[in-house]
């Protein structure tokens, strides 16, 4: 007997929602990647969705120096090419910034003192004068060109070859790995105690943990730094050390970690815990042999969130570590590459993809163990 199952409207709604979420995450990511491999001049003039079309750009170039002039008849001519090896097609040109597209391509433009300028479509130009050219610099040429799409890895080379990037990468790992492990270790014990151990004030502690979730990070950052500096002065520990940022990330990550793990652990079957206690197992044995293996999916999930948060953090790293070359993290180093005005979009897009390599490896690696932990927990 064959039975056919009909899909309910809720199923279609769930599928449509998942598809929508995939689209709104995929499109910006694809745009970021396309922008990271585009020429920086094209990136500054048009959006990534026009990457495969010809773009119109306005540029200014300087002609060759007067010593490059040659005499042709009774005139002195300076010749050259505006593109200098790159591709494009000139549409307009001019000799003044006030009128950069005054002349059509191929026109012999009459300038001052009998001088002329002609620019061809392929970028060849000719400055002509009835008297010899003087000075040490060539005149400027303003032109409008239609440039074909150009893709390059130069943006990635500039980021990877920047001084101090390797050191900042190691610094980020030094900060992120302990700042991910320490909160998980502390939160796992605390979550078990709040879920299965009976003691006075347990409900108040759970309420306090929930309340700490709504405390803004920026509001508690400076008081925390002052407290750490006072304690550090008492014990002779410097303020700009890795210990400080480990403790800061641990403190900011513990409320969420305890909340998530406690909600997961409290949902484990009560019969398993009670049977272990009847058999004489201590709380530490129950936690280590029963609760911890069954809670691996929740531990892996929080590890992903904590790692991503710490790896992408810039504010706490700047406060507790500073900008010196020995402690600056990867996000801080990439921020320095953007310049004082932050207008180097080609650096920003390339560095974004460089920074997500490690988080992607962590995510896919823990995802495999996450699925395995879910299946092991269901079997147990």
């Amino acid at each position: 007997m064959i039975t056919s199952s009909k899909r309910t409207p809720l199923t279609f709604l769930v599928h449509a929602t998942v598809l929508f979420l995939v689209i709104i995450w995929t499109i910006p990511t694809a745009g970021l990647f396309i922008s990271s491999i585009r020429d920086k001049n094209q990136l500054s003039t048009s959006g990534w969705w026009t990457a495969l079309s010809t773009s119109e750009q306005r540029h200014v170039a300087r002609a060759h120096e007067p010593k490059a002039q040659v005499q042709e008849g009774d005139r002195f001519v300076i010749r050259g090419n505006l593109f200098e090896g790159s591709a494009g097609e000139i549409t307009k040109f001019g000799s003044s910034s006030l009128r950069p597209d005054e002349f059509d391509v191929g026109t012999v433009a009459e300038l001052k003192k009998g001088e002329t300028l002609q620019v061809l479509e392929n970028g060849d130009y000719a400055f002509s004068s009835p008297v010899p050219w003087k000075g040490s610099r060539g005149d400027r040429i303003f032109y409008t060109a239609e440039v074909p799409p150009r893709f390059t890895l130069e943006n990635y080379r500039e980021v990877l070859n920047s001084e101090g990037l390797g050191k900042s990468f190691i610094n980020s790992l030094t900060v992120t790995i302990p700042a991910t492990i320490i909160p998980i270790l502390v939160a796992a014990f605390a979550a078990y105690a709040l879920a299965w151990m009976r003691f006075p004030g347990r409900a108040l502690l759970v309420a306090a943990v929930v309340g700490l979730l709504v405390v803004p990070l920026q509001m508690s950052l400076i008081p925390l730094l002052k407290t750490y500096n006072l304690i550090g002065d008492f014990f002779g520990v410097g303020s700009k050390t890795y210990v400080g940022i480990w403790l800061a990330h641990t403190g900011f990550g513990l409320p969420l970690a305890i909340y998530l793990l406690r909600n997961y652990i409290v949902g484990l079957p009560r019969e398993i815990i009670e049977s272990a206690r009847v058999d004489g197992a201590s709380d530490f044995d129950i936690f280590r042999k029963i609760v911890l293996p069954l809670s691996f999916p929740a531990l892996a999930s929080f590890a992903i969130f904590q790692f991503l948060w710490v790896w992408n953090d810039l504010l706490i790293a700047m406060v507790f570590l500073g900008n010196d070359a020995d402690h600056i993290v990867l996000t801080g180093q990439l921020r320095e590459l953007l310049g004082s005005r932050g207008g180097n979009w080609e650096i920003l897009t390339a560095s974004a993809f460089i920074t997500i390599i490690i988080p992607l490896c962590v995510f896919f690696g823990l995802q495999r163990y996450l699925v395995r932990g879910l299946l092991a927990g269901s079997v147990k």
Side-chain angles (χ1 to χ4, degrees):
M1 181 178 180
I2 301 176
T3 59
S4 60
S5 59
K6 296 182 179 179
R7 293 185 177 181
T8 62
L10 181 60
T11 303
F12 287 103
L13 178 61
V14 171
H15 291 174
T17 304
V18 172
L19 179 61
F20 175 74
L21 293 176
V22 171
I23 291 175
I24 64 176
W25 277 102
T26 302
I27 291 179
T29 305
L32 192 67
F33 174 72
I34 294 174
S35 299
S36 67
I37 59 175
R38 293 186 68 193
D39 179 72
K40 61 181 180 180
N41 294 324
Q42 295 182 354
L43 180 61
S44 62
T45 57
S46 60
W48 63 267
W49 53 89
T50 62
L52 297 179
S53 60
T54 302
S55 62
E56 186 177 84
Q57 303 177 12
R58 287 187 175 182
H59 296 282
V60 57
R62 191 171 291 276
H64 291 313
E65 299 176 357
K67 63 181 181 181
Q69 62 184 312
V70 294
Q71 185 173 1
E72 299 180 2
D74 58 347
R75 300 186 69 85
F76 297 87
V77 182
I78 299 178
R79 298 183 182 275
N81 189 277
L82 297 175
F83 291 125
E84 296 182 352
S86 59
E89 182 177 327
I90 305 294
T91 57
K92 298 280 187 177
F93 73 94
S95 60
S96 171
S97 59
L98 300 177
R99 298 184 297 274
D101 53 358
E102 181 179 5
F103 306 104
D104 293 328
V105 64
T107 304
V108 179
E110 298 289 340
L111 307 179
K112 59 183 180 180
K113 298 180 182 180
E115 299 173 355
T116 62
L117 171 63
Q118 185 182 29
V119 179
L120 304 180
E121 289 185 357
N122 62 356
D124 291 338
Y125 66 87
F127 263 117
S128 177
S129 174
V131 295
W133 297 90
K134 297 181 180 179
S136 58
R137 302 178 64 185
D139 293 340
R140 293 185 301 173
I141 304 175
F142 299 86
Y143 64 95
T144 302
E146 292 184 352
V147 181
R150 178 173 178 265
F151 299 97
T152 177
L153 296 177
E154 188 62 32
N155 302 331
Y156 287 94
R157 295 191 189 98
E158 184 174 354
V159 174
L160 294 175
N161 294 333
S162 63
E163 185 178 359
L165 187 69
K167 176 64 176 177
S168 63
F169 185 85
I170 300 299
N171 293 339
S172 289
L173 290 177
T174 306
V175 171
T176 305
I177 294 176
T180 303
I181 296 176
I182 296 174
I184 292 178
L185 293 177
V186 177
F189 286 100
Y192 173 77
L194 294 175
W196 292 106
M197 296 179 66
R198 298 184 180 274
F199 55 90
R202 185 178 66 170
L204 293 178
L205 288 178
V206 174
V209 170
V210 175
L212 289 174
L213 291 174
V214 300
V215 177
L217 169 67
Q218 295 78 6
M219 185 181 71
S220 58
L221 194 60
I222 301 303
L224 180 63
L225 178 62
K226 290 183 177 179
T227 304
Y228 173 75
N229 289 337
L230 291 176
I231 298 175
D233 293 339
F234 180 78
F235 289 100
V237 179
S239 58
K240 303 295 184 179
T241 60
Y242 289 116
V243 177
I245 195 171
W246 291 343
L247 295 176
H249 281 300
T250 299
F252 291 127
L254 272 179
L256 179 61
I258 295 175
Y259 180 75
L260 291 178
L261 295 178
R262 187 259 177 191
N263 290 343
Y264 186 89
I265 293 175
V266 79
L268 295 177
R270 180 178 297 271
E271 293 78 8
I272 300 178
I273 307 298
E274 293 179 350
S275 299
R277 286 175 177 169
V278 170
D279 292 339
S282 63
D283 284 316
F284 182 74
D285 292 332
I286 295 174
F287 172 77
R288 182 172 58 89
K289 298 180 180 180
I290 298 177
V291 174
L292 202 59
L294 293 177
S295 302
F296 191 82
L299 296 174
S301 300
F302 176 75
I304 294 174
F305 294 139
Q306 180 73 0
F307 188 94
L308 294 179
W309 176 47
V310 178
W311 180 265
N312 295 321
D313 170 71
L314 177 62
L315 176 61
I316 299 179
M318 293 296 100
V319 172
F320 282 88
L321 288 181
N323 292 323
D324 61 288
D326 293 332
H327 296 96
I328 190 170
V329 295
L330 183 60
T331 51
Q333 182 68 31
L334 296 177
R335 186 200 60 175
E336 298 295 328
L337 295 178
L338 294 179
S340 59
R341 292 175 292 181
N344 300 331
W345 292 105
E346 70 280 0
I347 301 299
L348 181 62
T349 54
S351 60
F353 265 85
I354 291 176
T355 55
I356 67 175
I357 293 177
I358 297 298
L360 282 179
C361 295
V362 172
F363 173 78
F364 288 114
L366 288 181
Q367 186 186 41
R368 177 166 57 92
Y369 292 106
L370 177 62
V371 175
R372 183 183 302 176
L374 286 172
L375 295 177
S378 63
V379 173
K380 291 181 181 179

